[in-house]
């Protein structure tokens, strides 16, 4: 079975600080996909990034960057120069095949990020 | 309208009521999903439809009844719910089951 662990339940930073959200995953599948979603107070999950297991290249998009390390089964997300609008719950998710069944998307429990002005 | 829409956004119902949640996707996708998000719990996948056929039902009580009349619309019919069914119900869609899922804004359901 697959599992996603987001050990940080809540993080609070002051605006303009950098913050890293941790994500550790478990799967026996050799081909899998990793995702990050953002859930603002409005409730909608907003897709941020998708990564496949064969591509360990780090990615940067504006103030967001992602560090994928297969050796440690981690897919961490860093926000540089955080802003109040970054306040949200962030979910890491894994899409993998579990026990011969169809591919499933498994979510972590989420990290509540609060950016203070 | 673009993306995935859900109506209503908020719903309060008694345990004896019957109501339906509606989801519509404008992305041309072939797969649609219902998730339940309760406080302090990870998202739980409830149902998956692929090409209008239900392909997954994750041990959801029969008081939840999904319907997918076409690839753009997904309903969740509710009857005789319990207070513990109060949650945010999220709909999502994807091109294929292996692809990225895009979510709607959710329906906040309160069962009294």
């Amino acid at each position: 079975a697959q599992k996603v662990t987001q050990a940080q339940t809540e993080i609070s930073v002051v605006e303009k600080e950098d913050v890293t959200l941790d994500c550790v995953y478990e799967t026996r599948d050799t081909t899998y996909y990793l995702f990050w979603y953002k859930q603002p107070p409005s409730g909608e999950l907003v897709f941020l990034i998708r990564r496949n297991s064969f591509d360990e290249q780090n990615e940067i998009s504006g103030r967001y960057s992602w560090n994928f390390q297969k050796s440690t089964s981690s897919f961490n997300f860093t926000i540089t120069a955080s802003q109040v609008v970054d306040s949200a719950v962030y979910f890491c998710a894994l899409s993998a095949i579990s026990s011969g069944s169809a591919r499933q998307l498994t979510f972590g429990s989420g990290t509540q990020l609060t950016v203070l002005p | 309208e673009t993306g995935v829409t859900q109506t209503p956004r908020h719903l309060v119902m008694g345990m004896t009521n019957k109501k339906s949640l509606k989801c519509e996707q404008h992305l041309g996708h072939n797969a649609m999903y219902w998730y339940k998000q309760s406080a302090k719990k990870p998202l739980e996948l409830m149902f998956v439809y692929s090409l209008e056929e239900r392909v997954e039902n994750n041990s959801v009580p029969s008081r939840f009844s999904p319907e997918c009349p076409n690839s753009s619309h997904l309903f969740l019919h509710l009857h005789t719910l319990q207070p513990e069914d109060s949650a945010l119900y999220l709909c999502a869609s994807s091109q294929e089951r292996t692809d990225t899922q895009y979510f709607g804004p959710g329906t906040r359901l309160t069962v009294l």
Side-chain angles (χ1 to χ4, degrees), chain B residues 29-31 33 50-51 93-101:
Chain B
H29 288 166
N30 294 318
Y33 312 77
S50 179
L51 297 172
S93 71
S94 62
Q95 181 59 44
E96 303 291 342
R97 285 204 63 195
T98 55
D99 289 336
T100 300
Q101 294 181 26

Side-chain angles (χ1 to χ4, degrees), chain A residues 14-80:
Chain A
V14 177
E15 205 169 20
K16 296 184 184 175
E17 286 184 355
D18 299 347
V19 58
T20 295
L21 310 182
D22 298 332
C23 173
V24 174
Y25 62 91
E26 295 175 29
T27 180
R28 294 180 182 174
D29 200 356
T30 54
T31 302
Y32 53 89
Y33 303 89
L34 294 161
F35 302 81
W36 276 96
Y37 286 87
K38 172 183 179 180
Q39 187 177 38
S42 58
E44 178 177 354
L45 265 75
V46 178
F47 165 71
L48 296 178
I49 189 172
R50 165 186 161 122
R51 214 59 175 148
N52 75 53
S53 51
F54 298 109
D55 183 2
E56 285 193 72
Q57 192 171 13
N58 292 332
E59 181 156 339
I60 298 175
S61 175
R63 295 184 297 107
Y64 295 171
S65 62
W66 291 269
N67 183 288
F68 175 29
Q69 293 199 356
K70 257 176 131 170
S71 59
T72 55
S73 297
S74 65
F75 186 43
N76 296 337
F77 173 29
T78 297
I79 302 175
T80 303

Side-chain angles (χ1 to χ4, degrees), chain A residues 35 37 39 42-45 47 50 91 102-105 107-108, chain B residues 9 35 37 43 56 88 90 97-105:
Chain A
F35 302 81
Y37 286 87
Q39 187 177 38
S42 58
E44 178 177 354
L45 265 75
F47 165 71
R50 165 186 161 122
F91 290 94
R103 187 171 290 277
Q104 291 191 4
L105 187 62
F107 285 85
Chain B
R9 294 295 309 276
Y35 286 87
Q37 186 180 27
L43 272 80
E56 203 158 324
L88 179 67
L90 290 158
R97 285 204 63 195
T98 55
D99 289 336
T100 300
Q101 294 181 26
Y102 293 88
F103 286 79

Side-chain angles (χ1 to χ4, degrees), chain B residues 34-104:
Chain B
W34 278 117
Y35 286 87
K36 177 183 179 182
Q37 186 180 27
S38 305
K40 309 293 184 185
K41 289 174 115 178
L43 272 80
E44 302 170 51
L45 178 64
M46 300 175 72
F47 301 104
V48 180
Y49 276 83
S50 179
L51 297 172
E52 301 156 37
E53 286 195 30
R54 190 191 312 178
V55 295
E56 203 158 324
N57 177 343
N58 283 349
S59 304
V60 179
S62 58
R63 57 186 183 269
F64 295 91
S65 175
E67 180 190 0
C68 188
N70 55 61
S71 59
S72 298
H73 293 85
L74 184 64
F75 294 89
L76 188 62
H77 304 299
L78 317 170
H79 63 97
T80 58
L81 294 191
Q82 305 298 311
E84 60 264 28
D85 297 323
S86 298
L88 179 67
Y89 288 85
L90 290 158
C91 173
S93 71
S94 62
Q95 181 59 44
E96 303 291 342
R97 285 204 63 195
T98 55
D99 289 336
T100 300
Q101 294 181 26
Y102 293 88
F103 286 79

